[in-house]
């Protein structure tokens, strides 16, 4: 299995509750390395562009409001099978369905305010990394 990179967001519900360190520890304990990281406050338009694949879904407007309501921490995580591993550490979208010990089981407040985003495939990981980071900011 080759080294892989994936894109992660620590969402506003988590930064608001000062959970950044606790969530990064979950990634690091799972063998994922933070190779880029920045704390930024998205505009609603920037959140809308990032989540445009969900534009027709009923929760889209609420999701964009939420994602622009407070700072996020955008990160690139590197490791063996990083995309799948990150999704495992995150847990299911709805915290009620998330396995014990996962980030969403421990920290998420609801299906919408669920503490973390993670890319779901190699193509989306590459697109999402490029949306937030330049090559110079990926420092290994
Ligand atoms: N979401 C929501 N209501 C839903 C499904 C999703 O508010 O019924 C939000 C939630 O924040 C989720 C994001 O939209 O993380 C993207 O949805 P997706 O299905 O891609 O879930 P994820 O990949 O984040 O697990
Ligand atoms: Mg998704």
């Amino acid at each position: 299995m080759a080294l892989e990179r994936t894109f992660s967001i620590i969402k506003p519900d988590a930064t608001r509750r000062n959970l950044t360190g606790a969530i990064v520890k979950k990634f690091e304990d799972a063998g994922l390395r933070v190779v880029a990281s920045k704390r930024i406050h998205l505009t609603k338009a920037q959140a809308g562009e990032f989540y445009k694949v969900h534009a027709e879904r009923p929760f889209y407007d609420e999701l964009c409001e939420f994602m622009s309501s407070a700072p996020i921490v955008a990160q690139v995580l590197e490791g063996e099978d990083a995309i799948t591993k990150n999704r495992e550490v995150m847990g299911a979208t709805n915290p009620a369905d998330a396995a014990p010990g996962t980030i969403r089981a421990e920290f998420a407040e609801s299906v919408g305010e669920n503490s973390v985003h993670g890319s779901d495939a190699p193509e989306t990981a590459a697109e999402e990394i490029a949306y937030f980071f330049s090559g110079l900011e990926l420092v290994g």
Side-chain angles (χ1 to χ4, degrees):
M1 186 70 63
L3 266 192
E4 190 174 63
R5 284 178 172 174
T6 190
F7 178 70
S8 164
I9 293 177
I10 301 176
K11 292 185 179 183
D13 66 285
T15 63
R16 221 180 251 132
R17 287 176 291 149
N18 218 19
L19 292 170
T20 299
I23 290 173
V24 170
K25 179 160 170 45
K26 292 274 197 192
F27 297 143
E28 292 183 340
D29 286 350
L32 293 165
R33 177 179 298 274
V34 177
V35 299
S37 181
K38 61 184 165 195
R39 183 176 177 100
I40 50 178
H41 195 146
L42 293 176
T43 64
K44 189 173 175 184
Q46 289 167 336
E49 174 66 20
F50 177 71
Y51 273 122
K52 65 184 178 207
V53 63
H54 295 305
E56 303 307 320
R57 308 283 289 278
F59 56 80
Y60 180 65
D61 188 67
E62 196 182 352
L63 176 62
C64 297
E65 279 290 343
F66 164 60
M67 291 299 291
S68 56
S69 67
I72 63 163
V73 179
Q75 298 190 296
V76 179
L77 307 177
E78 184 179 86
E80 297 287 330
D81 211 9
I83 295 169
T84 301
K85 190 176 285 180
N86 181 40
R87 298 288 310 192
E88 285 170 7
V89 175
M90 289 165 59
T93 307
N94 186 340
D97 303 327
T102 60
I103 292 168
R104 283 166 164 170
E106 288 192 13
F107 302 127
E109 300 199 293
S110 66
V111 64
E113 305 205 0
N114 59 3
S115 303
V116 278
H117 165 84
S119 308
D120 58 13
E123 301 72 31
T124 48
E127 270 174 38
E128 292 173 359
I129 289 169
Y131 186 60
F132 281 90
F133 293 98
S134 77
L136 287 174
E137 294 174 305
L138 306 175
V139 293

